[in-house]
Amino acid sequence: MAKKNIFYAQSGGVTAVINASACGVIETARKHKDKFGKIYAGRNGIIGALTEDLIDTGKDSASAIAALRYTPSGAFGSCRYKLKGLQENKAEYERLIEVFKAHDIGYFFYNGGGDSQDTAHKVSQIGQTLGYPIVAIGVPKTVDNDLPITDNCPGFGSVAKYVAVSIREAAFDVASMAKTSTKVFVLEVMGRHAGWIAAAGGLAAEKEGDAPHIILFPEVTFDETKFLAKVKHSVDNYGYCALVVSEGVKNAQGQFLAEAGTRDAFGHAQLGGVAPFIAQLIKDKLGYKYHWAVADYLQRAARHIASKTDVEQAYALGKAAVELALKGENAVMPIIIRKSNKPYKWTIGKTELSNVANVERKMPAEYISADGFGITEKCREYLSPLIQGEDYPKYKNGLPQYVTLKNVAVPKKLSATFTMK
């Protein structure tokens, strides 16, 4: 029987280690040339399949693919594009099958978060419906750490490390100037509905008085009076106050404190800047001089300070996805299973895509301190192993050296083009 080709694509917000998963997929597939044909990647995620814009990864050398393990962001381009239901837009699915047929693709590996796993699940279902069987395997990725079932998500550990390091270093700066200058520093981090990234900042506080003195979680309703009292207490007792604020903090009415009023391609509200909102509130009510920063893309692109644990898990899950396909699995996603905290031990398992598609895991109440402004010891025990170890890229002239692939286009075989709705 003829060997089927592979289609791999990256989706959603990229991370410091998503390319490590790509490396795991491609290197593993290359080791099984007797089972697989060519390994294609989608340019800009699923859009690459819809528009027949495929990349031939075989044009890149083994050393270039290996360098993906140390390169941040999406090497093939990512996207925010959600497939609708089969009945809502059958044309999209017919187009996918048309492209897969034209390029003899039998395996689909989609590297992304909850929305992306929903796409992988839908693709796994359409094969029989439209008469073209396709093996669809999800590869988990999200800095938000909000996928269920898996112990944690690749991309999160490195963001967690970046945030914990950043708030610790910024706090040293503020503490040194607080007597005559800035008394408040606000670091805004990602996290629309789940406060995992904000919680990671709490790892920097190892003893009483350490920053961050306050963490604002999406899971905890913002109480202005209680919050301002906590800020004043920190300044009175420690001389300054350093805060980590999740972008998704909401008020008692359930509204984001900083919503821009627009929506992204997945239908999610576009959030503005909660850091300046919080900082100005403190200035207006308490009179303290402030500085604020938004970690934004810096937190998820910081490969130079990536967690070694995160890199190893990202690669292992990409490798496992291919191995699951080799075993005849379909509509599944490899997951991380924690065996123990001390010493930290983990292994790879699997779950059905239906268990993770569009399901969001939030911070459990037992991980948030009683006052709502910090993390518990149980949360620390969960988070700490995920930021362990360093896995530095090579440096040249003082800068990290990252790879840019050739991304050679696969010749198109279809005459018809496709317009996305």
Side-chain angles (χ1 to χ4, degrees):
M1 190 170 73
K3 295 180 292 186
K4 291 290 186 178
N5 298 326
I6 285 174
F7 178 83
Y8 164 82
Q10 300 170 321
S11 176
V14 294
T15 79
V17 301
I18 187 173
N19 286 334
S21 290
C23 182
V25 168
I26 296 169
E27 287 189 341
T28 305
R30 283 185 175 187
K31 290 177 182 177
H32 294 278
K33 292 181 180 179
D34 59 323
K35 298 292 195 303
F36 301 113
K38 294 185 177 181
I39 307 166
Y40 297 140
R43 199 184 306 274
N44 301 318
I46 196 69
I47 291 175
L50 291 169
T51 60
E52 200 190 358
D53 193 356
L54 310 182
I55 293 166
D56 186 353
T57 69
K59 300 297 184 182
D60 282 286
S61 67
S63 61
I65 296 301
L68 286 177
R69 186 170 176 135
Y70 301 93
T71 299
S73 190
F76 306 106
S78 187
C79 70
R80 293 193 186 278
Y81 188 81
K82 188 178 177 73
L83 286 180
K84 299 179 178 65
L86 182 59
Q87 301 307 316
E88 296 174 73
N89 194 354
K90 189 178 180 181
E92 281 188 329
Y93 295 93
E94 291 175 336
R95 174 62 175 183
L96 284 177
I97 295 303
E98 183 182 34
V99 172
F100 289 164
K101 276 185 178 179
H103 294 275
D104 202 21
I105 291 167
Y107 301 91
F108 174 57
F109 297 99
Y110 210 30
N111 202 170
D115 287 312
S116 305
Q117 302 313 319
D118 177 60
T119 293
H121 185 228
K122 286 173 178 172
V123 169
S124 74
Q125 295 175 316
I126 65 171
Q128 292 187 357
T129 303
L130 300 180
Y132 185 81
I134 184 84
V135 173
I137 309 287
V139 185
K141 171 253 28 164
T142 173
V143 296
D144 294 320
N145 199 42
D146 58 359
L147 285 178
I149 315 299
T150 184
D151 175 75
N152 63 281
C153 304
F156 171 68
S158 295
V159 166
K161 191 179 185 80
Y162 178 90
V163 169
V165 169
S166 296
I167 193 63
R168 171 168 284 184
E169 292 179 340
F172 267 76
D173 186 304
V174 179
S176 67
M177 299 293 292
K179 184 68 175 178
T180 58
S181 186
T182 302
K183 283 184 166 50
V184 171
F185 176 73
V186 183
L187 176 63
E188 177 181 329
V189 300
M190 292 177 173
R192 179 181 304 274
H193 300 299
W196 295 103
I197 298 177
L203 291 172
E206 296 178 332
K207 64 181 187 302
E208 177 67 26
D210 283 353
H213 306 108
I214 298 173
I215 302 173
L216 297 182
F217 304 94
E219 293 87 351
V220 179
T221 300
F222 181 70
D223 183 322
E224 181 178 314
T225 301
K226 186 178 175 183
F227 167 71
L228 291 171
K230 183 73 172 179
V231 173
K232 186 175 187 305
H233 176 271
S234 297
V235 173
D236 288 347
N237 286 272
Y238 314 124
Y240 73 107
C241 182
L243 309 85
V244 176
V245 183
S246 178
E247 64 181 351
V249 176
K250 297 178 181 178
N251 58 24
Q253 288 72 47
Q255 301 169 320
F256 291 115
L257 295 188
E259 185 171 330
T262 55
R263 296 191 175 274
D264 65 16
F266 288 144
H268 305 315
Q270 292 275 18
L271 303 185
V274 71
F277 176 91
I278 290 294
Q280 190 61 49
L281 175 66
I282 293 171
K283 174 67 174 177
D284 292 344
K285 300 294 185 177
L286 299 175
Y288 300 138
K289 184 178 179 181
Y290 64 78
H291 272 266
W292 56 266
V294 181
D296 201 40
Y297 284 6
L298 299 177
Q299 65 199 305
R300 72 186 197 194
R303 180 59 185 81
H304 68 286
I305 198 173
S307 153
K308 186 176 183 180
T309 297
D310 196 24
V311 176
E312 290 175 346
Q313 291 180 338
Y315 183 92
L317 287 165
K319 177 174 180 285
V322 176
E323 292 172 341
L324 285 169
L326 286 171
K327 292 176 181 177
E329 297 280 359
N330 194 4
V332 297
M333 182 187 82
I335 61 172
I336 298 165
I337 299 173
R338 186 179 300 222
K339 308 293 283 187
S340 67
N341 284 328
K342 296 179 181 179
Y344 179 53
K345 293 182 180 179
W346 55 278
T347 188
I348 299 293
K350 67 175 181 178
T351 189
E352 301 293 321
L353 282 175
S354 58
N355 293 330
V356 295
N358 292 320
V359 180
E360 194 172 45
R361 179 182 66 168
K362 297 183 179 181
M363 285 270 294
E366 61 187 3
Y367 280 12
I368 300 174
S369 61
D371 67 359
F373 293 127
I375 62 172
T376 62
E377 189 57 34
K378 191 164 186 176
C379 182
R380 185 178 297 275
E381 289 175 359
Y382 167 77
L383 292 172
S384 183
L386 306 182
I387 70 167
Q388 298 304 311
E390 290 71 49
D391 189 33
Y392 299 117
K394 291 181 180 179
Y395 276 72
K396 182 180 179 180
N397 296 327
L399 292 171
Q401 296 301 290
Y402 299 137
V403 68
T404 299
L405 300 181
K406 295 176 183 177
N407 284 352
V408 176
V410 176
K412 294 190 176 186
K413 297 184 177 182
L414 300 173
S415 56
T417 58
F418 183 79
T419 302
M420 293 178 297
K421 296 181 180 180

